[in-house]
Amino acid sequence: MKSLLLFIAFVLNLSSYCQSGTVEYVVKSIDFEPKLGGKYTDLNIDLKARGEKQKFTLEFNPNYSKFSLVRSLNIEESTIESAKNKMASLRFGTINTYYFDREKNIYLYQTDEGELIRESNQIWNITAETKKIDSYDCYKATLDITYLARTGDYKTKTVIAWFAPILPYG
């Protein structure tokens, strides 16, 4: 299964020049078209629309970075609406908050339930494929993640990230 995640939190540490700041990300396009006439067509169309409305932020300084979903507080939101928003986050982005400590070379992520988990170093495959995003020449990087599926089988999904080496974030 391929996911297009436009967050670059783990790839950005490749740059050696650093400064502090905040970058906001939105899902502009998703390589996902719901199958028409399927059992869950309406739900998948709704989840895609919700995913495209989500925003993510990357906060960074020379030593630390944090990548997270921007959550909005909607008191009027029903349990069903909340569940759909969470499903969209899982399908098109993430509900976890990711941290990177450059000094110690430690990756952590915090689950939606608040559990903090140390992640092993991830090895991204940086390809020669390029494309322009806004005015930046970006390179494609992929990461294969193995996970335990609901069926009890281990599956692999490929995360695709596009990054611009010229940007001084890291």
Side-chain angles (χ1 to χ4, degrees):
M1 170 172 55
K2 289 193 175 221
S3 296
L4 177 61
L5 299 178
L6 292 179
F7 73 94
I8 316 167
F10 299 119
V11 177
L12 289 175
N13 68 5
L14 298 173
S15 173
S16 61
Y17 175 76
C18 301
Q19 61 185 9
S20 298
T22 301
V23 178
E24 186 174 281
Y25 296 88
V26 294
V27 178
K28 287 190 173 183
S29 64
I30 302 169
D31 185 20
F32 172 78
E33 288 301 323
K35 293 178 184 172
L36 298 177
K39 184 176 179 182
Y40 299 107
T41 299
D42 291 340
L43 175 63
N44 285 325
I45 290 170
D46 183 32
L47 293 179
K48 180 180 179 185
R50 289 170 189 270
E52 291 173 344
K53 291 179 185 175
Q54 294 179 341
K55 294 180 182 174
F56 302 87
T57 59
L58 173 65
E59 300 170 60
F60 58 92
N61 65 35
N63 298 313
Y64 307 102
S65 64
K66 173 186 170 187
F67 181 84
S68 60
L69 171 67
V70 176
R71 298 178 190 268
S72 60
L73 180 60
N74 186 350
I75 298 171
E76 311 256 334
E77 187 175 77
S78 71
T79 304
I80 292 172
E81 292 298 308
S82 178
K84 286 181 181 180
N85 285 331
K86 186 173 182 177
M87 286 171 60
S89 294
L90 289 168
R91 175 61 179 98
F92 301 112
T94 183
I95 58 173
N96 297 330
T97 299
Y98 295 87
Y99 302 92
F100 176 62
D101 180 333
R102 180 185 291 273
E103 293 174 339
K104 297 178 182 172
N105 198 31
I106 296 174
Y107 293 93
L108 302 170
Y109 69 92
Q110 185 174 15
T111 67
D112 197 37
E113 293 80 27
E115 183 179 8
L116 198 59
I117 299 171
R118 185 173 182 164
E119 186 72 45
S120 60
N121 286 346
Q122 299 172 333
I123 300 171
W124 286 83
N125 176 36
I126 299 173
T127 70
E129 187 175 344
T130 63
K131 74 175 177 179
K132 277 246 193 247
I133 299 177
D134 286 334
S135 62
Y136 298 103
D137 291 324
C138 296
Y139 291 85
K140 180 180 179 180
T142 61
L143 174 69
D144 290 330
I145 298 176
T146 303
Y147 64 97
L148 183 61
R150 286 180 267 177
T151 60
D153 299 327
Y154 282 95
K155 295 187 177 183
T156 301
K157 70 177 178 178
T158 301
V159 177
I160 300 170
W162 293 89
F163 70 99
I166 194 167
L167 294 175
Y169 311 125

